[in-house]
């Protein structure tokens, strides 16, 4: 029997890859997905903040609180 | 006795089918429903973001945080 | 002794009947109540979305996340 | 010793009486309180929706999700 | 050793006294504090609703849902 | 081994001292920190409400619901 | 086998270093990270509040409630 996949499996496959994380505020953070937990707290390395697609600043290792995240997808 | 159906049964039937997921922000994500959990965290494959019905961008495999979702229905 | 009724009993009586579900966003979904759970996640069949009372689109089987719902009543 | 009363006791006394339920959206629902639970999910019978004190529509048996309620008081 | 006081102790001392309860919506409710619970659901007797300090209406026994409350202090 | 400090330790050190508590609404409450709990419900004595830094009113013993608080710091 | 890192590990590495904490309100707090917990409640020492990048005031030891935080990164 094939076990149906769970949402966190998808995040696990994205580990060490570049992803885009969008917040409720519409800000985007782009970086390498290094860690996440069941609350969808996320850590990105080499992270950049973007506003409406434009680079705003480079912020290094960013801890993003899950509660503020809407969507995560490949960069 | 027929067991009354539960909401997650409906999502389970939609697995591997194309669905539309709407967020509180009014953004829509259209894609193939691959995974969900009890928080209604959802993973779509071949996902597209739409704003007011128009394709905004193709984003591949998207993890959508349940907390931001309002409604899910067939595409 | 008569057991005082609980809110979910009222939803249970509405099962397989047409109901109107209103969201915090003021959107209305009208359809046949097929399933609900303690989070008030709801599944409607033959669902229609209405905005300010006017039909916007027919969406089939809709999963509505409880967190976004304000009120449910008979259609 | 007199047991100090708890908030749900007050709702219990209001059972089968007409109450006004106000939501975060400022909508009011007036009806007979038939059921409630610890989440303050509420069922009103013969419910009416009012906006700024004026009758907007009669909606019959209404299930109101606790999360959206601010205050409940006698009609 | 003196046990440091806990926030609910302060509410307990205010029981049967007149208090002002402010909501996130900026509405104020003034009345006699009769009951509260750990969610800070509150029951006021002889309650009045005030908007920007002015009496809007007398509402009798009011159940206020804790989730909407910001501050409680003596009237 | 030195145990790393926890956030509530910082509040504990501020007990009986004057603090400023800011809410999501941008209101400030200044007073003597008498009690707090794990929800960050807070009780201030000799509390004053300030709006944009100006004294609005003196409110005595104030119970502030944790859910509305953003930051607490020394007055 | 290498244990995949968890988000709180990243915060732990930032302990005693200067970080920037951003809130949902867009306010920024800059200071030395002294403590955090699983709710992402955070304590900063020598904290400064910034609005749109400009120093607004120095506030000393600041307790920031996790619920209001969006992102934490190195200063």
């Amino acid at each position: 029997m094939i076990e149906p996949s769970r949402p966190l499996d998808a995040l696990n496959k994205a580990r060490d890859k570049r992803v885009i994380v969008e917040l409720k505020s519409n800000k985007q953070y782009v970086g390498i997905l290094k860690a996440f937990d069941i609350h969808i707290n996320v850590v990105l390395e080499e992270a950049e903040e973007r506003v409406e697609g434009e680079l705003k600043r480079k912020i290094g290792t960013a801890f993003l609180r899950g509660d503020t995240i809407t969507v995560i997808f490949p960069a």
Side-chain angles (χ1 to χ4, degrees), chain A:
Chain A
M1 204 192 82
I2 297 167
E3 187 73 25
S5 71
R6 294 159 303 174
L8 295 198
D9 295 343
L11 289 187
N12 212 29
K13 279 186 199 159
R15 210 187 276 267
D16 293 318
K17 303 210 174 86
R18 273 170 57 86
V19 298
I20 298 175
V21 179
E22 287 200 357
L23 305 195
K24 290 176 182 169
S25 66
N26 272 322
K27 278 184 189 163
Q28 283 187 334
Y29 293 89
V30 187
I32 298 164
L33 180 63
K34 296 307 286 185
F36 61 88
D37 60 22
I38 56 162
H39 308 292
I40 322 301
N41 294 320
V42 161
V43 173
L44 301 183
E45 285 191 354
E46 300 175 26
E48 298 175 4
E49 185 182 323
R50 293 185 191 173
V51 177
E52 298 184 21
E54 287 195 26
L55 174 64
K56 198 170 142 200
R57 55 186 165 168
K58 300 190 175 200
I59 61 176
T61 300
F63 175 96
L64 296 163
R65 205 166 165 279
D67 170 43
T68 67
I69 293 174
T70 58
V71 58
I72 303 173
F73 55 94

